[in-house]
């Protein structure tokens, strides 16, 4: 009856019950550099002129360029300052130059939508993307690469908010729009659709999409074992694991661990397979690696301590287990409170 605590989303895809890593949609639009974003979108160089965003506050002595504003928005979102990034993106969209450029409007709208999603304001995020999609339809039609990217971003939005049928519809729509040459956009659509189908339990349908997505990302990044392929590899491995193809899944999880040795989610996936196979000694060793990795992230550290303790209890190492559970309870109480379900799970294990 001992209970493992989920260490965080298994990296199936970019959604709340999937990847907790990078934004998969960003592969089609390289962040923080509008010139590379334009290039990735297959847009004309003359669209990449630098405009100005109105002065926001006293800390900005002069007007800030579009490129600098986009970079700053990315930095703020990456450091948890979503509200500040949201204000900056709104200011950017109010700029006369940005309003006259469909492509800069997309770049600011994409980030504004991301800000709303980080704040779990999904309706606002949807409105932003639907507005730029409508403008793109009126200006470029529905067969452009930009339109395909907007629709794909809608797919990821619906995926994150748990609207699986809407997400599937948008990913398929984007795929229908994408030409074979638009490799990053196709790879992202396949990645997103595979995650949605897996979430819906359509594992046999999802598996070939994972493989094709990985094939495209490998070609884009020049190698299979590339850091930007980790999420896709994780998704493929998780799909294989759920289909019972455990040996190949474990091999791919180890590939991921070789690429990123400090990702606790990857390691926990490996530990999960060992536990399912009854190899508790190996699982304990793996979970201890998670503890070392998560030591600086207090809640995550407590979860890993609990999971180590569960394995130790199964191995009848009760004294070690109790020590880890006491520490986990103390951290959980301080970080998430005693009413949080994770605290309840750890406390229950301790009582037993």
């Amino acid at each position: 009856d001992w209970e493992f605590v989920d260490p965080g989303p298994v990296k199936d895809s970019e959604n709340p019950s999937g990847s907790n890593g990078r934004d998969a949609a960003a592969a089609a639009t390289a962040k923080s550099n509008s010139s590379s974003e334009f290039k990735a979108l297959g847009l004309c160089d003359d669209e990449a002129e630098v405009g100005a965003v109105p002065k926001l506050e006293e800390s900005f002595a002069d007007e800030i360029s579009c490129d600098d504003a986009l970079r700053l928005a990315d930095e703020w979102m990456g450091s948890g300052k979503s509200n500040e990034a949201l204000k900056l993106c709104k200011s950017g969209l109010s700029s006369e130059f940005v309003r006259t450029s469909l492509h800069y409007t997309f770049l600011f709208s994409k980030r504004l939508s991301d800000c709303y999603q980080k704040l779990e304001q999904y309706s606002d995020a949807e409105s932003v993307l639907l507005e730029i999609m409508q403008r793109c339809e009126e200006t470029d039609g529905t067969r452009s690469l930009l339109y395909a990217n907007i629709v794909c971003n809608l797919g990821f939005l619906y995926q994150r908010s748990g609207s699986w049928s809407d997400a599937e519809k948008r990913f398929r729509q984007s795929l229908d729009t994408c030409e074979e040459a638009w490799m990053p956009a196709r790879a992202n659509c396949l990645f997103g659709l595979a995650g949605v189908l897996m979430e819906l339990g359509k594992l046999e349908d999802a598996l070939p999409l994972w493989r094709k997505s990985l094939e495209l990302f490998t070609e884009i990044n020049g190698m299979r074992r590339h850091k930007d392929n980790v999420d896709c590899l994780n998704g493929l491995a998780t799909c294989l694991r759920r289909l019972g193809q455990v040996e190949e899944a474990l091999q791919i999880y180890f590939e991921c661990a070789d690429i990123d040795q400090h990702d606790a989610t990857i390691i926990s996936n490996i530990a999960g397979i060992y536990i399912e196979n009854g190899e508790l000694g190996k699982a304990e060793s793996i979970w201890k690696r998670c503890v070392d990795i998560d030591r600086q992230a207090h809640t995550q550290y407590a979860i890993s301590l609990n999971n180590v303790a569960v394995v130790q209890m199964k191995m009848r190492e009760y004294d070690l287990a109790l020590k880890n559970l006491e520490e986990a309870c103390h951290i959980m109480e301080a970080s998430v409170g005693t009413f949080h379900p994770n605290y309840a799970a750890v406390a229950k294990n301790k009582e037993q």
Side-chain angles (χ1 to χ4, degrees), residues 195-225:
V196 169
L197 293 177
M198 190 161 66
E199 191 67 33
L200 293 172
K202 301 176 182 179
L203 301 177
E204 296 287 354
D205 294 333
L207 183 59
L209 300 184
W210 282 121
R211 294 195 190 279
K212 182 60 178 177
S213 177
L214 179 60
E215 177 186 324
L216 292 177
F217 281 128
T218 298
E219 187 171 348
I220 291 166
N221 295 316
M223 64 178 71
R224 177 180 167 107
R225 293 195 176 191

Side-chain angles (χ1 to χ4, degrees), residues 234-301:
N234 262 290
L236 173 58
T238 302
C239 189
L240 289 164
R241 177 182 175 186
R242 294 180 184 179
L243 284 166
Q245 301 178 36
V246 178
E247 186 175 340
E248 185 180 357
L250 190 59
Q251 179 183 348
I252 295 173
Y253 280 141
F254 275 118
E255 276 190 77
C256 296
D258 287 341
I259 298 169
D260 187 351
Q261 300 178 10
H262 301 288
D263 192 316
T265 304
I266 294 169
I267 296 171
S268 70
N269 289 338
I270 297 171
I273 289 181
Y274 284 142
I275 290 168
E276 291 167 6
N277 290 343
E279 299 177 82
L280 299 181
K282 290 182 179 180
E284 180 187 25
S285 176
I286 291 291
W287 277 123
K288 285 180 177 178
R289 284 184 61 186
C290 281
V291 169
D292 291 336
I293 291 170
D294 292 330
R295 198 173 295 276
Q296 298 303 315
H298 298 300
T299 304
Q300 195 74 23
Y301 176 44

Side-chain angles (χ1 to χ4, degrees), residues 264-339:
T265 304
I266 294 169
I267 296 171
S268 70
N269 289 338
I270 297 171
I273 289 181
Y274 284 142
I275 290 168
E276 291 167 6
N277 290 343
E279 299 177 82
L280 299 181
K282 290 182 179 180
E284 180 187 25
S285 176
I286 291 291
W287 277 123
K288 285 180 177 178
R289 284 184 61 186
C290 281
V291 169
D292 291 336
I293 291 170
D294 292 330
R295 198 173 295 276
Q296 298 303 315
H298 298 300
T299 304
Q300 195 74 23
Y301 176 44
I303 290 173
S304 291
L305 283 173
N306 174 82
N307 293 338
V308 168
V310 170
V311 176
Q312 289 170 335
M313 286 189 287
K314 290 177 181 289
M315 298 173 68
R316 302 183 185 278
E317 297 175 352
Y318 298 116
D319 290 341
L320 291 174
L322 181 60
K323 179 181 177 181
N324 285 328
L325 287 171
E326 287 175 343
E327 185 176 359
C329 275
H330 177 73
I331 295 170
M332 282 285 188
E333 183 176 358
S335 59
V336 298
T338 57
F339 294 100

Side-chain angles (χ1 to χ4, degrees), residues 64-79:
I64 182 172
S65 73
C66 284
D67 283 0
D68 287 341
L70 292 168
R71 275 191 289 270
L72 187 56
D74 289 334
E75 290 174 8
W76 278 347
M77 279 193 287
S79 60

